[in-house]
Amino acid sequence: MTGTATPAHGVTKPARVRRRVPVRTPHQAATAGGGRLGGPLAALPWALPAFAFVGVLLVYPFFRSVYGSFFEDNGFTSSFTGFDNYARLADDPIFGRSLLNTLMWVVGTLLLPVVAGLLIAVATHRMRFGGIAQLIIVLPYAISGAATAVLWNFMLTSDGAVNQVLRGVGLDGWAQTWLLEWPQNTLSMIVASTWQATGLNVVLFAIGLRAIPRETVEAAELDGASGWRMFRHITLPQLRAVTVVVVGMAIVNSLKAFDMIWVLTKGGPSRSSETLALSMYRETFRLFHIGYGSAIALVLSVIVVASSWMYLRRQMPDISGTAVRN
């Protein structure tokens, strides 16, 4: 008989019925809960505070700066001038020097902290006390930019530690007024920034080195790779993702360099060591040329976004291509 089972003793028992557990796809689950907790807009109330925070602190100031750049504004009176502030940028020698100093910061930051961080991380990766060496190099990064500037101001003044050491070893001709003449004041501050920023790059590259599969290294060693060949063909390609992050951060940080320059030279002498970030601050908050400062801020924002976008697009073509195809 269907649905029953007859054991040997003649007692009839109902057969077990296997229950089917209903299964819903993620799309069906989202559709079913659309009006309550599981719908696609369920997370919107939780995200609204973050959207409001970003809008108040980033989006509104940006568009307010764009709007203000078309006015001559001293904080009390305002008059529409169109593109006069941008035309003034082209004729302003101080803006040209600030742009050149900013470019020097970008190049110096890429050549010194990034390269030094990579070489130190590779050199100490398999060293017996490599972790201690990396810790010592990372310590300056724990110091704020202002504190670092105060320390290097003690070293770079005319009678500071650097000149005293040079005179003590008989190199009097090498003693300089490091912070009073261009371009050595900008170069000196780049060196000071390198002393602080290298530690973070060492940490990031050290993490990348530990993520390299051991099998890849052993296979390369069996093929006879060592030294420069190992570094060029194995280490560098494996560190590409970390390098993209390190270089991207270096570019953005160098374009907005401010605190160390302000403490060491305040952009002087005669505004010769200003960068775009410092010129924007001085024009807006010191000289009360708010419209002109807004124009400088917009130019700096365009440079930061454009340089970051071009660099990432060049370094990650596969990702951009996949996004376009999708």
Side-chain angles (χ1 to χ4, degrees):
M1 179 182 296
T2 304
T4 62
T6 306
H9 299 286
V11 180
T12 303
K13 294 183 179 180
R16 293 182 180 180
V17 179
R18 182 174 297 177
R19 299 180 62 185
R20 182 179 179 183
V21 179
V23 178
R24 292 188 298 178
T25 65
H27 176 72
Q28 292 172 337
T31 304
R36 292 175 294 175
L37 297 177
L41 300 180
L44 185 59
W46 304 96
L48 283 177
F51 289 153
F53 192 74
V54 172
V56 170
L57 295 183
L58 294 178
V59 178
Y60 171 75
F62 173 76
F63 285 105
R64 181 63 181 84
S65 296
V66 174
Y67 175 77
S69 66
F70 297 106
F71 290 82
E72 180 64 35
D73 188 357
N74 60 7
F76 299 97
T77 61
S78 176
S79 60
F80 181 78
T81 58
F83 290 94
D84 288 355
N85 286 323
Y86 295 98
R88 178 182 169 187
L89 291 176
D91 299 329
D92 189 355
I94 295 177
F95 175 78
R97 176 63 61 85
S98 298
L99 189 60
L100 177 59
N101 286 332
T102 302
L103 178 61
M104 291 174 62
W105 272 88
V106 173
V107 175
T109 300
L110 293 179
L111 291 179
L112 296 178
V114 174
V115 175
L118 174 61
L119 296 180
I120 293 173
V122 172
T124 58
H125 178 52
R126 296 187 178 182
M127 188 183 297
R128 182 177 181 183
F129 298 103
I132 298 176
Q134 292 177 1
L135 176 62
I136 295 173
I137 296 170
V138 169
L139 285 178
Y141 184 72
I143 306 174
S144 66
T148 302
V150 171
L151 174 63
W152 278 85
N153 184 61
F154 166 76
M155 298 173 60
L156 296 174
T157 53
S158 299
D159 56 347
V162 173
N163 284 342
Q164 289 183 15
V165 170
L166 291 175
R167 295 189 183 102
V169 296
L171 299 175
D172 296 28
W174 288 33
Q176 303 285 333
T177 52
W178 300 102
L179 299 176
L180 298 180
E181 296 181 12
W182 187 87
Q184 62 197 32
N185 50 13
T186 297
L187 297 176
S188 300
M189 289 186 288
I190 291 174
V191 172
S193 177
T194 298
W195 178 78
Q196 182 194 29
T198 300
L200 176 62
N201 297 337
V202 171
V203 171
L204 294 176
F205 281 123
I207 294 173
L209 288 170
R210 290 185 177 90
I212 297 177
R214 182 62 184 173
E215 297 79 7
T216 303
V217 177
E218 292 176 351
E221 290 175 345
L222 291 176
D223 290 339
S226 62
W228 169 248
R229 292 181 60 193
M230 176 71 75
F231 177 76
R232 179 181 177 184
H233 297 288
I234 302 299
T235 305
L236 275 182
Q238 293 290 330
L239 291 177
R240 180 180 178 183
V242 176
T243 304
V244 169
V245 175
V246 171
V247 173
M249 291 173 55
I251 293 174
V252 174
N253 290 333
S254 60
L255 287 171
K256 61 184 185 68
F258 179 86
D259 51 354
M260 187 167 296
I261 303 172
W262 183 256
V263 174
L264 283 174
T265 65
K266 287 186 170 56
S270 301
R271 305 184 67 175
S272 63
S273 61
E274 282 188 1
T275 58
L276 289 178
L278 204 66
S279 295
M280 174 192 64
Y281 171 80
R282 187 185 300 277
E283 293 290 343
T284 304
F285 300 104
R286 291 282 176 157
L287 302 177
F288 296 102
H289 300 156
I290 299 176
Y292 188 56
S294 298
I296 298 177
L298 183 59
V299 171
L300 178 60
S301 300
V302 170
I303 293 175
V304 171
V305 173
S307 59
S308 302
W309 179 78
M310 288 188 296
Y311 172 72
L312 293 176
R313 185 172 182 269
R314 181 179 179 84
Q315 293 299 322
M316 297 186 292
D318 298 336
I319 296 178
S320 61
T322 301
V324 171
R325 287 194 297 270
N326 293 337

